[in-house]
Amino acid sequence: MQPMVRVFGAAIASSALVLGASQVAIAAPEGQPEFNVGAVDWKPCEEVPAVECGFLELPVDYAEPRGEKFQLAVSRRKANDPAQRIGAMVINPGGPGGSGVDFSFGADRYFSKEIVDRFDIIGFDPRGVARSAPIKCSAELLQKTPSSYPKTKAEFDALVVFNKELRADCEKQTGAIFNHASTAEVAQDIDSIRRALGEKKINYYGISYGTIMGQHYAEKFGKNIRAMIIDSNMDHSLGTKAFLDSEARTAEDSFNEWIKWNDRTASSPFHGQDLRKIWKDLLAKAERGEVPAPWDPAAKLTPEDLGGGVVSMAYGPNWKGFADQIKQIIDGTQAPKAAFSAFAAEETFPNPFPGIFCNDYNLRVSSWGEYQALTKSEYRIAPNTRGSSLGHGAMMGCVGFPKATNPQRTLKIKNSPKILLTNAKHDPATAYEWAVNAHRQTRDTTVFVTYEGWGHGVYDRSECTLKINNEYLVSLKLPRNGTSCAAVEPAETSVMSVKPRVPAGPFSVA
């Protein structure tokens, strides 16, 4: 099974998304030529008429601003209380591949009333995503994606060949923007949005993969920020092994937290039993090909499938739902695949992945021998989850690709106001140590708040996290650096939703 990633990538057409005909002069990023940008002709969105939609015409390549253009889809949910309006807040739900326009449609359910009352919520689909010149790849080719867990050199070599073919296919079908869809370019798009809105400063909320956009924006356009929250942080400084190993550590941590929940929770189907031994025995059976998939007895679950299920479950987390699913697997219960949502994720990368993640992260495995060494390390760190399905799949999705155009580097933010950086201690996707490292690189410009609990996404985990986030957005009041909010036991449910709690997946890998 490939890592849990949500598939976006298909063009989403809407008659409500209309490009304005007028042109206004917009100052280009520092050191680059001036360029004109299309004014947004706001119209009620077809999906949610209370929100306005439109397009912004921007350069595919900011180094050639008079060259080819593309249409960036944007949306605006105006402040409910104009008299108390503070400004505009740009939002991004992560991914890579999450639609900020879609996020804005439900922003009144995600953010507190005082936020939607006082801010214009501005969504956008990053270049290469959804409505914004989406990266396209052949569905037929995607269905042939090999396993990201090759067992032989021949299988590894076949994956390299496939990835090269996929990249060429995506580039051919997508056009020039395929090679200009990195997060560095998205940061420039965000400032173009700010200018088109006529805002001297903007506010920003980005979660998961949206934190890289925020980090890049703060580096280049820090003086244009009023307030910024980067929630559940990526670390854009890690090399291949550090990336893979850190993801393995947080996956294994998610497994350990599930075990602790079982030990303290009477409603668990394994309460009072040695769940570690039960799991170890299940992994051994899966290794021997003896664990039928409940939705298809002819298909066999692998240890990597089971480990991927742990990571998927921990997004919520939904410990009870996952325990019930594992009990059914052990008992041999048959049920539709949709009933086993932790294992029912799409089995291919989202179409934007090759053009976005592989240009943001230079995670390249050069040989079968290097792959074996890296995998041995992640399996040693996380024996119960076989490394991290997210980290492993992200790395292997870029095997055979050329070097990234926006590779990892140390984060340097100098000219921004204080930024609120938050992370859950037991996040299964954006590892807590990533946030620690991102803060270490930006000690003078970030205030780090830890949620001591579980899951992916911090904003509304508790009254404590909600108060800190909202006070900062409204009044710019920040807590002491190093503040933590106590863990809140998640609500127990035996039903597992296929949708993650946060707006997008997976580093929302998605």
Side-chain angles (χ1 to χ4, degrees), residues 234-275:
M234 301 290 291
D235 181 355
H236 196 233
S237 71
L238 299 177
T240 304
K241 188 174 187 302
F243 179 91
L244 198 65
D245 287 355
S246 55
E247 282 288 80
R249 281 189 287 272
T250 202
E252 188 74 2
D253 174 73
S254 294
F255 172 80
N256 290 331
E257 292 301 309
W258 180 55
I259 296 294
K260 292 176 185 176
W261 166 84
N262 172 75
D263 292 345
R264 68 175 180 263
T265 308
S267 61
S268 171
F270 301 106
H271 183 65
Q273 302 176 52
D274 187 349
L275 183 52

Side-chain angles (χ1 to χ4, degrees), residues 92 124 126-127 181-191 213 217:
N92 184 270
F124 74 104
R127 52 174 62 208
S182 80
T183 304
E185 288 145 323
V186 172
Q188 293 180 313
D189 293 341
I190 293 173
D191 205 58
M213 299 174 191
Y217 187 81

